[in-house]
Amino acid sequence: MNNGGIRVAVLRMEGTNCEEESLNSMKNVGANSEYVHIRDLINGKKNIHDYHMLFFPGGFSGGDYVRAGAIFASMIKGPLLREIVKFIEDEKVVLGVCNGFQVLVELGLLPGIGGVMSEKPQAVLAPNISNRFECRWVYVKIEENNCKFIKYKKGDLISLPIAHAEGRFMLPLDREEEYLQDMIHKKQIVMRYADSSGNYSGYPWNPNGSIYNIAGICNEIGNVFGLMPHPERAFFRYQHPEFTINGGKNYGKNVFEGIMEYLNKKF
Amino acid sequence: MIKLKITIGYKEGVEDPEGLAVKNSLKLLNFGNVNSVKVLKVYEILIEDTEDAKKEAEEMCDRLLVNPVIHDYRIEMERV
């Protein structure tokens, strides 16, 4: 075990607002995590390769102007692109939650069809089909996936909170079927929205209208994972809405424990 | 100076939830003739007068303003 030595950078910039629970989630599973402002990576004050995990937290980075995640992604695209690609090739972990997922998609790191990073985005998290900010708990079902650190098994049904206005996962209409089949074939789809019985259902169970009920995906290597639900807000049982009824569940903790197990084995 | 006017909208076939909400609201206000509403975003950008202005505008779209998965865009230029 090398818990103290696993270093996690929780990336922040103007408008990110889930840093605290993100940092604590990794801290509580034994990682040495710290806040890192994106400008400190850009101007060389801090080095991306000193860390084992980059955590893109939720929030409204860049005020969600242009598109959610687009401004954060554009800050990284120029100066840090090569470094991030190397980081991923080294099989370290990149996690993007909610706004962080949007950043990873805008960067071309997810779904990453045909390579670690695509020159242009291959997908988008478009405005919810309901045209509302959806803020509630949802059920997601775990798929057979190649993510290196998801411990849940295929078919497991868990509940996690969501809070987003732009979460509708879409692929280019003219290549939708091709990309989707490719992602299914390579086991990149990690979790899908479902109803309380585990059936893949429409709204409100699928809260944003995502194609194929997609809630979270990983890249081909399996070390970049992005999801719209917030596992860091489901770390303790008392955060679960049924805590006072039946003691609740801490489904999110498992994700961070899995990351820690993977990183400890690998580094 | 050149004024770039970049208009961004959804590609044909991509659903526009905001447009649909506006359409429904107009219907509720008894604008019965409304068939569809598209919401577009317009950026007006002033840049120095150069021969590459159009190319620069396209790069702006590529690198930040547009996600080609769902967006189409149109660039207009005017000397001001």
Side-chain angles (χ1 to χ4, degrees), chain A residues 207-252:
Chain A
N208 45 41
S210 281
I211 180 177
Y212 199 59
N213 283 37
I214 286 173
I217 59 169
C218 66
N219 64 348
E220 288 182 9
I221 302 173
N223 62 335
V224 179
F225 177 38
L227 72 169
M228 287 314 295
H230 286 267
E232 80 284 8
R233 294 185 193 173
F235 193 91
F236 301 105
R237 287 188 297 114
Y238 60 75
Q239 291 173 306
H240 194 266
E242 290 176 5
F243 174 63
T244 54
I245 301 168
N246 57 23
K249 299 280 189 189
N250 56 348
Y251 288 118

Side-chain angles (χ1 to χ4, degrees), chain A residues 21-61:
Chain A
E21 54 268 51
S22 301
L23 181 118
N24 285 335
S25 298
M26 286 311 297
K27 214 176 219 176
N28 286 331
V29 292
N32 180 3
S33 44
E34 61 178 295
Y35 300 124
V36 176
H37 199 284
I38 192 69
R39 286 190 204 284
D40 287 344
L41 289 180
I42 292 169
N43 64 26
K45 264 193 199 166
K46 292 192 174 168
N47 184 349
I48 194 173
H49 300 298
D50 287 342
Y51 301 94
H52 300 94
M53 173 183 174
L54 297 180
F55 195 149
F56 288 81
F60 298 87
S61 61

Side-chain angles (χ1 to χ4, degrees), chain A residues 196-213:
Chain A
S196 53
S197 307
N199 304 309
Y200 304 114
S201 304
Y203 189 82
W205 304 105
N206 177 350
N208 45 41
S210 281
I211 180 177
Y212 199 59
N213 283 37

Side-chain angles (χ1 to χ4, degrees), chain B residues 20-80:
Chain B
L20 195 64
V22 174
K23 179 187 153 189
N24 291 340
S25 296
L26 289 172
K27 290 268 186 196
L28 284 171
L29 293 168
N30 292 325
F31 291 100
N33 291 329
V34 175
N35 283 327
S36 75
V37 177
K38 280 184 182 176
V39 178
L40 304 172
K41 199 170 207 174
V42 179
Y43 295 91
E44 285 190 350
I45 301 169
L46 282 175
I47 63 167
E48 294 299 327
D49 198 340
T50 62
E51 281 181 15
D52 291 337
K54 178 95 189 278
K55 203 175 152 206
E56 210 166 326
E58 280 168 357
E59 256 178 54
M60 289 176 193
C61 291
D62 267 3
R63 297 186 62 186
L64 178 64
L65 304 178
V66 163
N67 184 319
V69 174
I70 48 169
H71 292 139
D72 271 334
Y73 64 90
R74 187 175 68 236
I75 298 168
E76 293 161 82
M77 299 197 305
E78 183 191 345
R79 282 212 160 75
V80 289

Side-chain angles (χ1 to χ4, degrees), chain A residues 128-145:
Chain A
N128 298 343
I129 208 77
S130 64
N131 198 36
R132 291 179 191 164
F133 189 91
E134 299 283 347
C135 182
R136 54 193 160 85
W137 284 66
V138 295
Y139 291 98
V140 292
K141 201 166 159 181
I142 307 299
E143 299 295 296
E144 188 181 357
N145 65 78

